[in-house]
Every structure is written in C-alpha cells, then in structure tokens.
C-alpha cells in the first residue's frame, strides 16, 4: 500500500530474539513441519542460509514456508471442520458487509462530485452528515469484519509519553521536550506492516486515508470505498516521473491533516511491504517529507497455529487458512505523537530513522536492512522449491 519512495540506508543493530508474544493463551512458537529439501534437490544448509538471509519473511507457524508444510493429523481435521462450517459463514457475512458499506458510500456520494487533483479523485473532503455517516459506518463495519475473521478481542496499549522524545542529543533537544508537553495533531499515522488485516484495524480505529495502487480505484465495490477513504493512488510499475506527483500529494495531505482538524489523517506503512511481524525494515521517507508530527503504531499478531502475517505465502492460500482459524489475536501499541526536532525536519532520513528505532525499541522488533527486492528474491526461491505442491 505504500508508494515507492526513497529507502533509508541505516545500519541495523545486532539482531535480538523477540519476546514471546502471549495474549489470551496465544503464543508464537516455531513448530513448523519438517522440510524435505532432498525431495527437490536442495540441501538443508542452503535452506538454512536462505532463511537467515531473509529472516524477516520466514514463516514460523505449523503450516510451514508458503503454507505448504506437511500438517499433523489434528490440524488437518480442524481445517476440514472449519472449511465446512466457519469458511462459508465468514465469506457470506464478509461479502454482505462489503456490499452493505458500498451502498452506504454510494448513497452518501450520490449527486456529489469528487475532489480531483490530476489523476487523484476522492470524496474524503466531503463535509456534513454524508461524511459523518461514511466515517462512523466505516469504522463500525471494519471492526465487525475483524470480529467475523476471528479477532474477537484486540488488545490495545499506549506507550510511555516520554518515549517519543528519547532522541539522539542535538542542539534542538530541549525544544523537542517542550513540544512534548503540548503535542500537536499528527499529520500521519505510521505503522509497521504485517498483513492486509492492518488496514482493517486502522479503518476501525481512526479511518485514515491510505496510499493504494491506482488499479484499486477501478475495482468493483472497493473502488468507491477507496475514494471515500481519500486514498492516494500510485502506479508502482510505472517508471515515469509520477514519483514527484505522488510524493507531493502525500506531503500536501499530511500537512493539511496536521493543520486542519477536520481533514482526514494519512495512514502510511513506511516499510513498503509486509514482514513476518518480528522485524522492522528500513523506512521510506514519504511520511516524513512534510516535516509534520506523526503517530507511530506497532501491530503484533500472536498465534498458536497459523500466523496472520502475510510474508511468504500466496494471497488465496493465506485467506483460506485465515478463515479456517477459530480464533485470531491482535495486539496494538499506540506510541505518543512524535514531534520532530528542527534537525529531523531538515533531514527526512534522520526523522524516519529515529521513528523506526523508537518503534523497534518499544515494540521489541528486530531491525533488518533488507526490503521489497529481497522479498521478491526469497519468494522466487520458495516458488521454485515448492513448485511441485
């Protein structure tokens, strides 16, 4: 969902093992089924080396890499039961909620012209009862949809207010501390990216605007909803000068949200892709070019059997396995608004790096220096390994 913006070339600290996540009896543990590399002509050593190199995308649940591991009998029985009971109900209810919200958006935008800025088009700046209905219904239905997917409880915690001001010393350090006493309205929410479920949570909590592929605007049902969210559309595959236009729109939206309390806030995933939830990748600078305060949010998905992280598994397979889980878990940590110092305002890379380090420390996330390019390499290797499945 994040636009292609400049990578941050910071050096990561020495990796540390993440704390075991426990919530309502849900724990993340490495009980993956044994791989059989000899069956496809790959040595155990090469697999282990590959997993070390691409650790941020390695799955550690019972379903194994790509969700293609050999499952125990008990897990197969649970999947079979869920497929004939839970999955049909969840699909029907989920689609009904989507169609219902589409008609709400359609009614609220009827006889209204969208805001247009070049190739951007949205209804996010609509005012009055129409906007109120879109936002309130959207937040409620997003939470209902998470409930349908098995997220019956979501544990939310709020970080130490002094944590966001624990920055490297600089001539502006005292100024930053003064700002923390009167935090400004953030122009953007920045979050680590673990799954497409992240979007549903943020919709239910703050109903922000996202960065999305341009093709999303043309999708049935979802297209109109994305316009009501005020999504900024990008063409990832394009090599044209589209970058400057998108960066400009995002920066303008962030500044507007910071200065205008009624403007929709932007939601950005600075990593640019999803991880397995234990790591945090280098941040792109798009969320920090506006020099406005940001609100960091850390998402975790504790699990026993299936990890909701969308790391190294195909979309359809992930959705099916997710719908087959009787219970899923989510933990959210909201950090205080991060007010940048003057030095950070003048250097977006420094700003992004400091926010990333703060989220790494507060969320016990391991900093990794790989990115989307390495993820594609790892996926290609796994696709070759499991092509027989």
């Amino acid at each position: 969902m994040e636009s292609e913006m400049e990578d941050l070339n910071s050096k990561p600290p020495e990796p540390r093992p993440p704390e075991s996540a426990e919530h309502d009896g849900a724990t993340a543990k490495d009980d993956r089924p044994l791989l059989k590399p000899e069956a496809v002509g790959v040595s155990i050593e090469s697999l282990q080396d590959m997993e070390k190199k691409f650790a941020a995308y390695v799955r550690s649940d019972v379903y194994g890499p790509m969700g293609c591991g050999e499952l125990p009998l008990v897990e197969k029985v649970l999947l079979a039961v869920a497929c004939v009971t839970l999955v049909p109900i969840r699909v029907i209810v989920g689609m009904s909620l989507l169609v219902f919200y589409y008609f709400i958006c359609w009614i609220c935008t009827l006889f209204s012209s969208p805001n247009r800025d070049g190739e951007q088009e949205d209804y996010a700046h609509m005012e009055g009862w129409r906007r109120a209905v879109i936002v309130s219904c959207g937040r409620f239905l997003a939470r209902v949809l998470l409930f349908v997917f098995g997220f019956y409880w979501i544990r939310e915690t709020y970080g130490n207010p002094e944590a966001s001001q624990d920055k490297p010393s600089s001539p502006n350090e005292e100024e930053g501390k003064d700002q923390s006493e009167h935090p400004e309205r953030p122009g953007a929410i920045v979050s680590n990216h673990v799954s497409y479920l992240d979007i549903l949570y943020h919709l239910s909590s703050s109903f922000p605007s996202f960065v999305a592929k341009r093709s999303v605007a043309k999708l049935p049902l979802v297209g109109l909803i994305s316009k009501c969210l005020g999504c900024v559309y990008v063409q990832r595959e394009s090599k044209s000068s589209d970058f400057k236009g998108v960066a400009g729109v995002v920066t303008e939206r962030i500044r507007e949200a910071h200065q205008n309390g009624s403007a929709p806030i932007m939601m950005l995933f600075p990593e640019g892709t999803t991880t397995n939830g234990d790591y945090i990748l280098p941040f792109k600078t798009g969320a920090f070019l506006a020099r406005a305060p940001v609100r960091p949010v850390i998402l975790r998905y504790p699990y026993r059997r299936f990890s909701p992280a969308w790391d190294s598994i195909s979309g359809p397979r992930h959705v099916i396995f997710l719908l087959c889980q009787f219970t899923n878990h989510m933990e959210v940590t909201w950090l205080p608004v991060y007010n940048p110092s003057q030095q950070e305002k003048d250097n977006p890379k420094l700003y992004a790096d400091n926010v990333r380090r703060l989220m790494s420390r507060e969320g016990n996330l391991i900093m990794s220096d790989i990115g989307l390019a390495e993820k594609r390499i790892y996926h290609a290797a796994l696709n070759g390994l499991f092509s027989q499945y």
Side-chain angles (χ1 to χ4, degrees):
M1 296 289 293
E2 179 68 30
S3 61
E4 298 291 342
M5 300 183 182
E6 187 176 4
D7 279 314
L8 184 62
N9 297 318
S10 59
K11 295 292 184 182
E14 291 296 323
R16 63 185 185 281
E19 297 176 351
S20 58
E22 298 186 3
H23 175 49
D24 294 334
T27 58
K29 58 182 180 179
D30 188 354
D31 50 1
R32 290 175 292 170
L34 294 176
L35 298 176
K36 298 179 181 180
E38 66 278 359
V40 288
V42 179
S43 67
I44 296 179
E45 291 76 12
S46 63
L47 279 175
Q48 292 176 341
D49 290 342
M50 188 168 61
E51 290 191 345
K52 289 180 181 179
K53 184 176 181 180
F54 304 107
Y57 309 122
V58 175
R59 292 189 69 80
S60 301
D61 60 7
V62 298
Y63 291 82
M66 301 293 289
C68 296
E70 182 64 28
L71 297 177
L73 178 60
V74 174
E75 189 65 29
K76 292 179 179 178
V77 172
L78 290 174
L79 281 177
V81 172
C83 278
V84 298
T85 56
L86 279 180
V87 173
I89 296 175
R90 285 175 168 174
V91 169
I92 293 172
V93 175
M95 288 301 300
S96 299
L97 290 173
L98 180 63
V99 172
F100 178 61
Y101 187 55
Y102 167 80
F103 277 110
I104 290 177
C105 293
W106 180 76
I107 292 173
C108 290
T109 57
L110 200 61
F111 307 119
S112 298
S113 299
N115 300 306
R116 287 188 173 87
D117 182 7
E119 296 188 24
Q120 304 296 328
E121 181 178 291
D122 68 81
Y123 293 94
H125 294 79
M126 184 181 296
E127 299 178 351
W129 68 269
R130 297 170 184 261
R131 181 64 184 170
V133 170
I134 288 175
V135 172
S136 58
C137 291
R139 294 182 61 177
F140 175 74
L141 293 177
R143 183 61 187 93
V144 172
L145 192 55
L146 283 172
F147 186 91
V148 171
F149 287 164
F151 293 91
Y152 308 122
W153 305 275
I154 297 178
R155 180 182 177 185
E156 295 179 305
T157 57
Y158 297 85
N160 181 5
E162 298 180 357
S164 64
Q165 297 304 323
D166 186 11
K167 308 174 186 177
S169 59
S170 70
N172 301 283
E173 183 176 9
E174 293 301 322
E175 179 185 348
K177 290 181 179 178
D178 292 339
Q179 291 176 356
S180 67
E181 298 177 0
H182 304 283
E184 302 178 66
R185 183 178 194 260
I189 297 172
V190 293
S191 172
N192 64 318
H193 203 7
V194 185
S195 174
Y196 47 82
L197 297 164
D198 304 347
I199 298 172
L200 282 179
Y201 170 76
H202 287 295
L203 284 176
S204 68
S205 63
S206 51
F207 203 79
S209 299
F210 294 88
V211 176
K213 291 182 179 180
R214 191 166 294 159
S215 58
V216 171
K218 300 178 181 179
L219 293 176
L221 304 180
V222 178
L224 178 60
I225 294 175
S226 70
K227 293 177 182 178
C228 289
L229 287 173
C231 286
V232 176
Y233 301 112
V234 300
Q235 187 67 38
R236 281 195 163 192
E237 295 75 14
S238 175
K239 301 298 182 181
S240 65
S241 59
D242 180 64
F243 167 81
K244 292 184 179 180
V246 171
V249 172
V250 171
T251 300
E252 182 180 338
R253 291 281 190 89
I254 293 175
R255 287 175 178 165
E256 181 183 6
H258 169 50
Q259 298 169 358
N260 182 2
S262 62
I265 196 169
M266 284 295 302
M267 169 70 237
L268 295 164
F269 299 106
E271 295 168 288
T273 189
T274 52
T275 68
N276 58 17
D278 293 327
Y279 290 77
I280 189 165
L281 307 180
F283 278 7
K284 303 177 189 300
T285 57
F288 310 95
L289 294 173
R291 302 170 25 157
V294 298
R295 183 76 186 269
V297 179
I298 303 166
L299 301 176
R300 300 296 293 264
Y301 294 85
Y303 63 90
R304 278 188 179 276
R305 299 156 48 217
F306 175 76
S307 169
W310 192 20
D311 37 39
S312 56
I313 183 172
S314 67
R317 186 183 293 266
H318 187 278
V319 171
I320 292 297
F321 287 156
L322 176 73
L323 294 176
C324 286
Q325 306 309 306
F326 292 89
T327 303
N328 291 299
H329 301 269
M330 182 188 299
E331 295 179 349
V332 184
T333 301
W334 286 82
L335 298 182
V337 175
Y338 190 105
N339 291 282
S341 66
Q342 187 60 47
Q343 185 178 1
E344 290 170 325
K345 291 179 180 179
D346 296 337
N347 187 344
K349 287 186 178 182
L350 175 64
Y351 187 5
D353 186 35
N354 286 344
V355 173
R356 178 185 177 227
R357 291 180 183 278
L358 171 68
M359 293 175 65
S360 172
R361 182 174 68 250
E362 295 298 313
N364 195 39
L365 302 173
I366 304 171
M367 295 179 72
S368 174
D369 61 352
I370 61 178
L372 182 59
E374 288 80 4
K375 184 177 187 177
R376 288 171 174 167
I377 294 173
Y378 181 54
H379 280 195
L382 288 180
N383 283 326
L385 180 63
F386 291 97
S387 59
Q388 63 178 10
Y389 288 87

